[in-house]
Amino acid sequence: MSRPPGRGPGPSACSRVAVRLRAGPERRLVRRVAAPCPCVCGPCSPVTSQSLSSLDLEMQWQWMERVFLWRSILIFRVSLLVCTAGNLSAQATCPDITVTQQLLKEGFHRDLLTKVELGAGDEAIGSCTVAIKEHLPTGLYVDPYELASLQQHNLTEALMIPDIVDVESPEYLATDLAIVVYMKPDPQCASCFKAMLPVHCRYHRPTEDDGEALTLLKSPEILIHCHKSFPSVACWKYSEVEAPCSVRNRHTCHWNNVKYKHVNKEVILKVPVGLKQHGTLVCAVTLLTTVLCSSLVLAAVCKYGHFSLVHCSE
């Protein structure tokens, strides 16, 4: 049977083209592109060429997407490496400020030794002034007369807030005390400063089951004032505060209250206290001792004393 003129190949020829295209490695893509086969309107060869060009275009788009994806992953990894290297470099150029506190001596009268290490080996550290602000609890105090004597001998320079301190007040009647201690350079360390502060324990209330009272020393504030700028100053974390410039210069200066790393977790003082069940015995012994000593003093005055009456006349 002859084919009508002007007609393309029949459905069977178009099906053969589709089957041949589906046999390639891009089976899924060709199936979507070559599904419509308008063999009725004309020959199939133009449709097949258009399908192949569409296939090439879609493969190019997929290749470009893969290249873009891998390129994005590569850029992200490079950025991550750069940020990590920057953080390591910042840590290398920004050393931590460390503070070490130690209590010397035993009993009620102690010495608080504080050492601050800036951790930077720059020569500009010599232009910095370092001070610590101690917040003493009610169980501790500083003797202002002893502090004045130490300042005269150029051993310790400190300012108390408030200036008046009741040294005879017990712990349960006292108030907190703040002291600004100006530190001196440590000759054994280029970037270290140290200060010695004498502290005294107050009397506590007697307890029932234990003969000790614990006094927790709060963490101090580290104040730094530098006349010259150097790399370590730029990376220190700090907040600006106002404090006296020095002991001799009471004018207010701007200080940097820096963040630091405390080597000692906490400083705790153990203060010996009396027991409540010993109250009666202590009172009785104290009263008897007072009466006996007073009697001995009175007897000595009566025996060895010389009494005379002086008459005043015009």
Side-chain angles (χ1 to χ4, degrees):
M1 184 174 179
S2 61
R3 188 174 54 213
R7 300 276 185 174
S12 59
C14 186
S15 300
R16 287 196 299 274
V17 174
V19 170
R20 186 172 65 252
L21 292 175
R22 293 191 187 100
E26 298 81 5
R27 180 177 179 183
R28 180 177 56 84
L29 299 175
V30 175
R31 184 182 301 171
R32 186 172 66 252
V33 175
C37 188
C39 299
V40 181
C41 300
C44 289
S45 56
V47 177
T48 305
S49 301
Q50 184 179 3
S51 301
L52 292 176
S53 62
S54 301
L55 174 62
D56 295 339
L57 183 60
E58 190 164 354
M59 290 180 62
Q60 291 179 3
W61 275 108
Q62 284 192 352
W63 176 254
M64 292 176 63
E65 290 178 356
R66 293 179 182 178
V67 171
F68 179 77
L69 178 61
W70 283 107
R71 184 180 178 183
S72 301
I73 295 175
L74 181 61
I75 293 175
F76 174 75
R77 290 183 177 180
V78 172
S79 302
L80 184 61
L81 291 176
V82 171
C83 293
T84 304
N87 292 333
L88 293 177
S89 177
Q91 292 178 359
T93 57
C94 297
D96 294 333
I97 300 176
T98 58
V99 176
T100 305
Q101 287 189 310
Q102 183 180 3
L103 284 171
L104 306 179
K105 299 181 181 180
E106 298 291 338
F108 280 81
H109 310 286
R110 315 289 289 271
D111 287 336
L112 178 62
L113 176 62
T114 305
K115 183 177 180 180
V116 176
E117 183 176 358
L118 301 183
D122 202 305
E123 296 180 356
I125 291 183
S127 66
C128 296
T129 304
V130 181
I132 57 172
K133 188 175 183 180
E134 292 282 358
H135 298 273
L136 299 182
T138 57
L140 297 176
Y141 72 94
V142 174
D143 190 349
Y145 302 101
E146 180 184 10
L147 194 59
S149 177
L150 293 175
Q151 291 178 0
Q152 289 180 357
H153 294 83
N154 198 21
L155 297 177
T156 301
E157 295 184 357
L159 291 176
M160 293 188 298
I161 305 173
D163 297 336
I164 302 175
V165 179
D166 186 3
V167 297
E168 300 295 337
S169 178
E171 179 269 338
Y172 48 88
L173 296 179
T175 57
D176 295 341
L177 180 65
I179 302 178
V180 179
V181 184
Y182 298 91
M183 311 188 73
K184 296 182 179 181
D186 190 354
Q188 299 179 357
C189 179
S191 61
C192 299
F193 296 81
K194 65 178 182 179
M196 182 79 72
L197 181 66
V199 294
H200 307 275
C201 300
R202 295 184 182 273
Y203 292 104
H204 291 65
R205 292 181 183 273
T207 60
E208 295 181 356
D209 52 355
D210 194 2
E212 290 182 342
L214 301 180
T215 301
L216 176 63
L217 188 64
K218 302 178 182 178
S219 299
E221 298 181 22
I222 305 301
L223 308 180
I224 299 178
H225 177 72
C226 297
H227 300 282
K228 296 181 180 180
S229 179
F230 51 95
S232 298
V233 177
C235 62
W236 285 342
K237 297 180 180 180
Y238 62 88
S239 59
E240 294 185 358
V241 296
E242 293 184 354
C245 299
S246 64
V247 176
R248 299 172 180 84
N249 184 8
R250 300 298 181 91
H251 292 87
T252 302
C253 292
H254 296 281
W255 296 77
N256 295 332
N257 188 353
V258 298
K259 303 294 182 181
Y260 62 90
K261 180 180 180 182
H262 211 304
V263 177
N264 308 97
K265 295 299 181 180
E266 55 185 13
V267 180
I268 301 178
L269 287 82
K270 295 182 179 180
V271 182
V273 296
L275 299 177
K276 287 185 177 181
Q277 54 266 29
H278 297 163
T280 304
L281 178 62
V282 171
C283 291
V285 172
T286 303
L287 180 60
L288 291 177
T289 304
T290 304
V291 172
L292 177 61
C293 293
S294 301
S295 302
L296 293 177
V297 171
L298 183 60
V301 170
C302 294
K303 183 177 181 180
Y304 301 101
H306 299 281
F307 301 95
S308 61
L309 296 178
V310 179
H311 299 280
C312 298
S313 59
E314 297 181 359

